[in-house]
Amino acid sequence: MAEEVSELLNARRSPLVTECRGFLMLSTIICILAVDFQVFPRRFAKTEFYGHSLMDVGVAAFAFYMGVSAGFKEPSPATASQSWAMYLVRVVFSSLPVLALGVGRAVVLKLLDYPEHVSEYGTHWNFFCTLFFVGIGLAVVVRWRGHNRTAFLLGAAELFVLHATLLRLGLEEYVHDNPPRNNFFQKNIEGLASLPGYLVLALAGAALGDMLRAAAARRTSARGWALNGAFLCGASLALFAIYWAFTRVTRAQPSRVVANAPFLIYNLAVLLLNLAVSLASQLAFPLPPCSLVKGLSDNLLPLFLLANLATGAVNLLLGATHEYSQSAGIIVLGLYLLPLCCVARRLGRRNLCIPSHF
């Protein structure tokens, strides 16, 4: 049993990361359509400005696991020998599909006059744009400071302090007061103001990814992985305690819109606990991820795009708000989810990975 656990968790492609990414994608494609139905509890929907919810955690998780995947990759020797200009050109070029999705989504929504929440990311901005710049930021830190957890943690700490200071000096209040939308900056202030916060989550994820990669490279025993799980659980509980104390003392509330300090601390605690629980399940039941989970994890961006297109088609067909009974909502969600899961499972069974930024 111990040898099976060690062999599984020390694999070149981490089953722990695969499982967490796969379930993140599955919950995401369910939530983006379910939120428009009565069957979906309102407390799980994205918050308007302050508070936290299930979908807020999902947004943070994408940035976090983007960092985990980047940190788990083997550092490339060619990176250090490239000039800054060539390196940035290569990084931007590889990230263009994400930016294209962000720009394309904004254009299509305007052309279709599709209902939008401007207070979410701004007039033109969306989460694809955030992911594009988070990826660029990660690449810059790798080139500047090196591919190691110390560099990632130091970058996350410095950016956390800078971002929290800017918000404290008036940026959070400015965004909250719904400023006039006279220029590009003001029209997209929500997306721009939250960008450093999501980069903090990605850098923290990269540090964790590097830790998992090093543990796998050392051929860590089952007992060693159990200690890693205990560390993740302890770090999560410590962050929950910090969140509780911080919000009680400062009276600050978490805000997804500006990704402030309480939002970052709370979501990092949740995500570390999620990893600890996933690791515990693999220690107890050392089974490789199923084809569905593997397909979802390996093809996050294409499947997310497909789910967005399917969600848009359902909303155009049924209307932006669906006044249906809970049973009817579940049937529609099942019909929407079935083909998406079939595609993901087929990709996983054939070990197909569509190249993307993730």
Side-chain angles (χ1 to χ4, degrees), residues 31-38 40 42 109 112-117 310-324 332-333:
C31 287
I32 58 176
L33 180 62
V35 69
D36 295 322
F37 287 87
Q38 293 180 6
F40 193 82
R42 291 300 94 194
L109 291 182
L112 295 177
D113 197 23
Y114 194 81
E116 295 180 82
H117 297 286
T311 300
V314 172
N315 286 335
L316 288 174
L317 184 64
L318 302 181
T321 56
H322 314 312
E323 301 295 333
Y324 296 98
V332 173
L333 287 170

Side-chain angles (χ1 to χ4, degrees), residues 2 7 59 94 122 124 178-179 242 249 263 279-280 288 291 298-299 340:
E7 188 68 26
V59 171
S94 66
H124 311 106
N178 194 20
I242 292 170
V249 172
F263 174 85
L279 180 53
S291 299
D298 290 349
N299 300 278
L340 292 173

Side-chain angles (χ1 to χ4, degrees), residues 5 10-12 29 56 59 66 96 121 128 146 155-156 168 174 198 208 236 265-266 269 286 297 308 310 313 337 340:
V5 170
N10 292 325
R12 188 170 177 271
I29 62 178
D56 288 347
V59 171
M66 184 179 188
L96 281 180
Y121 293 107
F128 288 115
R168 192 71 177 173
Y174 176 77
Y198 289 116
L208 182 61
S236 173
I265 296 169
Y266 177 83
S297 175
N308 271 270
L337 191 60
L340 292 173

Side-chain angles (χ1 to χ4, degrees), residues 227-247:
L227 291 175
N228 286 336
F231 168 77
L232 290 173
C233 190
S236 173
L237 294 176
L239 286 170
F240 275 124
I242 292 170
Y243 169 80
W244 181 86
F246 184 81
T247 53

Side-chain angles (χ1 to χ4, degrees), residues 5-288:
V5 170
S6 179
E7 188 68 26
L8 177 68
L9 292 173
N10 292 325
R12 188 170 177 271
R13 296 189 62 186
S14 171
L16 177 61
V17 177
T18 298
E19 185 176 276
C20 290
R21 280 167 50 106
F23 282 112
L24 167 64
M25 190 63 226
L26 181 61
S27 60
T28 299
I29 62 178
I30 293 172
C31 287
I32 58 176
L33 180 62
V35 69
D36 295 322
F37 287 87
Q38 293 180 6
V39 69
F40 193 82
R42 291 300 94 194
R43 66 181 182 276
F44 291 163
K46 289 180 183 177
T47 53
E48 286 298 323
F49 198 91
Y50 288 116
H52 46 72
S53 71
L54 175 67
M55 291 189 74
D56 288 347
V57 174
V59 171
F62 263 93
F64 178 76
Y65 282 113
M66 184 179 188
V68 171
S69 299
F72 196 83
K73 292 177 182 176
E74 290 287 343
S76 174
T79 298
S81 61
Q82 282 184 324
S83 66
W84 264 101
M86 287 301 299
Y87 177 74
L88 289 176
V89 167
R90 182 174 63 84
V91 168
V92 171
F93 184 78
S94 66
S95 307
L96 281 180
V98 183
L99 182 61
L101 286 175
V103 174
R105 184 180 187 275
V107 171
V108 170
L109 291 182
K110 298 298 180 188
L111 291 175
L112 295 177
D113 197 23
Y114 194 81
E116 295 180 82
H117 297 286
V118 176
S119 60
E120 189 173 351
Y121 293 107
T123 305
H124 311 106
W125 203 271
N126 54 58
F127 197 54
F128 288 115
C129 299
T130 295
L131 291 178
F132 170 78
F133 286 104
V134 165
I136 299 298
L138 271 173
V140 168
V141 171
V142 169
R143 181 67 172 80
W144 180 27
R145 295 260 178 95
H147 191 292
N148 60 79
R149 75 199 72 166
T150 302
F152 294 136
L153 286 175
L154 186 60
E158 292 171 348
L159 190 58
F160 177 86
V161 172
L162 176 61
H163 184 52
T165 302
L166 289 174
L167 293 176
R168 192 71 177 173
L169 290 175
L171 179 58
E172 183 172 342
E173 184 180 356
Y174 176 77
V175 177
H176 182 262
D177 291 342
N178 194 20
R181 313 241 174 206
N182 298 323
N183 53 51
F184 180 83
F185 176 80
Q186 291 178 330
K187 288 180 179 179
N188 300 283
I189 185 63
E190 293 86 357
L192 293 168
S194 63
L195 183 58
Y198 289 116
L199 182 53
V200 169
L201 287 172
L203 288 168
L208 182 61
D210 184 66
M211 184 192 84
L212 295 174
R213 180 186 60 81
R218 290 195 303 269
R219 310 299 297 175
T220 302
S221 64
R223 182 174 180 275
W225 279 109
L227 291 175
N228 286 336
F231 168 77
L232 290 173
C233 190
S236 173
L237 294 176
L239 286 170
F240 275 124
I242 292 170
Y243 169 80
W244 181 86
F246 184 81
T247 53
R248 293 301 181 279
V249 172
T250 65
R251 302 294 180 185
Q253 300 179 67
S255 171
R256 171 191 55 81
V257 178
V258 293
N260 60 4
F263 174 85
L264 298 177
I265 296 169
Y266 177 83
N267 280 284
L268 189 55
V270 170
L271 292 166
L272 289 179
L273 185 60
N274 171 248
L275 273 168
V277 170
S278 296
L279 180 53
S281 71
Q282 292 191 347
L283 288 168
F285 308 101
L287 299 171

